[in-house]
Amino acid sequence: MPAAFIGHGSPMNAVDDNRYTASWRAFGQSVPRPRAILVISAHWYINATAVTTMSWPRTIHDFYGFPRELYDIRYPAPGLPNLVDEISAIVQPTWVGADEDSWGIDHGAWSVLVHAFPEADIPVVQLSINAEQPLEYHLNLGARLAPLRDAGVLVLGSGNIVHNLRLMDSGFADTGFDWATRFDTAARELLTTDPAEVLRLREHADYPIAVPTPDHFIPMLYFAGIAGARPASVLVDGYSYGSLSMTSYVAD
């Protein structure tokens, strides 16, 4: 089962029809049907490592100021409560909590899944990002999650490698600032040759401006950890508003 990292961008991608959403649809149609989908989304960023265990996770609208049609979206996929036991077993001795009711499926997950798997009939589970852990923790945890792929679980990271909301500029709707393209290109060079070395990006001169906060960057680390030394391929690339990278990757 392949793994993927999706640059999800604006929640509006849930209702838009563009080349990014077309690529997500093509991806969903090309992969073997998963037993379950494990999502690491930038938007579940807490002080623990936890897994959703509810039978029917709620659709979370974790944003404000967008059109009503976005708040009306529901992604009624079932959960898979016992997947937490599989995850706990393969990542030992790392502790993994069972979240029975606090989270669900956030927009980092459903804005992609409504295109990739529109029937919402595959169980979806989310893994939180532990905000108290260093970047190495997330890369290593991703590597330990790799056996899930052989068990029919599609692991999906959802974030943006370049994500600086403060510098967004509507005049750059479909292009990236110079610093954004430099950093995104450096990430591509590593992910398509040796994903396990992706933490070298911290040394890049544009890292502070491209990654002002780690939440959207970390899902890519899980993907890179799963890919390991196997080169990933680009699913789609591009930019939004100058300061968001929409580049997405797949690892077979």
Side-chain angles (χ1 to χ4, degrees):
M1 181 64 60
F5 170 78
I6 302 296
H8 66 247
S10 167
M12 289 302 297
N13 280 313
V15 294
D16 286 345
D17 185 7
N18 54 46
R19 64 191 188 90
Y20 304 118
T21 60
S23 73
W24 304 343
R25 286 194 296 272
F27 170 74
Q29 294 165 3
S30 69
V31 299
R33 180 180 172 85
R35 174 170 67 96
I37 303 169
L38 177 65
V39 181
I40 301 97
S41 164
H43 298 278
W44 195 18
Y45 191 66
I46 60 175
N47 64 348
T49 300
V51 171
T52 54
T53 60
M54 59 286 292
S55 296
W56 294 99
R58 64 191 176 103
T59 303
I60 299 173
H61 300 86
D62 50 326
F63 46 77
Y64 61 90
F66 285 88
R68 181 71 246 174
E69 61 182 324
L70 280 183
Y71 299 92
D72 291 337
I73 291 176
R74 297 293 181 272
Y75 191 76
L80 188 62
N82 62 3
L83 188 61
V84 66
D85 297 325
E86 295 180 50
I87 293 172
S88 295
I90 64 175
V91 303
Q92 289 184 358
T94 299
W95 179 86
V96 178
D99 174 42
E100 299 178 353
D101 56 15
S102 73
W103 205 242
I105 303 175
D106 63 49
H107 87 266
W110 58 256
S111 65
V112 174
L113 296 176
V114 293
H115 298 288
F117 302 100
E119 298 302 318
D121 57 354
I122 299 170
V124 175
V125 172
Q126 286 205 215
L127 172 70
S128 70
I129 295 174
N130 190 333
E132 296 185 348
Q133 296 294 339
L135 298 183
E136 288 84 357
Y137 171 91
H138 303 289
L139 182 66
N140 293 335
L141 190 58
R144 283 187 279 162
L145 291 173
L148 289 175
R149 300 170 69 190
D150 295 331
V153 177
L154 170 63
V155 182
L156 174 67
S158 179
N160 297 95
I161 293 174
V162 177
H163 186 266
N164 192 321
L165 295 181
R166 291 188 176 184
L167 297 182
M168 289 171 57
D169 186 334
S170 60
F172 287 74
D174 298 311
T175 56
F177 297 128
D178 288 348
W179 56 263
T181 58
R182 286 195 302 266
F183 188 79
D184 199 48
T185 298
R188 179 195 299 231
E189 290 173 354
L190 286 170
L191 289 169
T192 58
T193 56
D194 189 359
E197 295 296 316
V198 76
L199 286 181
R200 287 165 48 191
L201 288 171
R202 288 182 298 188
E203 304 165 10
H204 195 282
D206 296 307
Y207 178 78
I209 192 171
V211 188
T213 61
D215 47 345
H216 278 73
F217 184 75
I218 288 174
M220 181 271 291
L221 299 182
Y222 282 86
F223 168 78
I226 290 170
R230 298 185 304 276
S233 58
V234 176
L235 178 65
V236 64
D237 61 2
Y239 303 88
S240 291
Y241 306 112
S243 62
L244 301 178
S245 164
M246 292 295 295
T247 310
S248 303
Y249 296 88
V250 175
D252 295 323

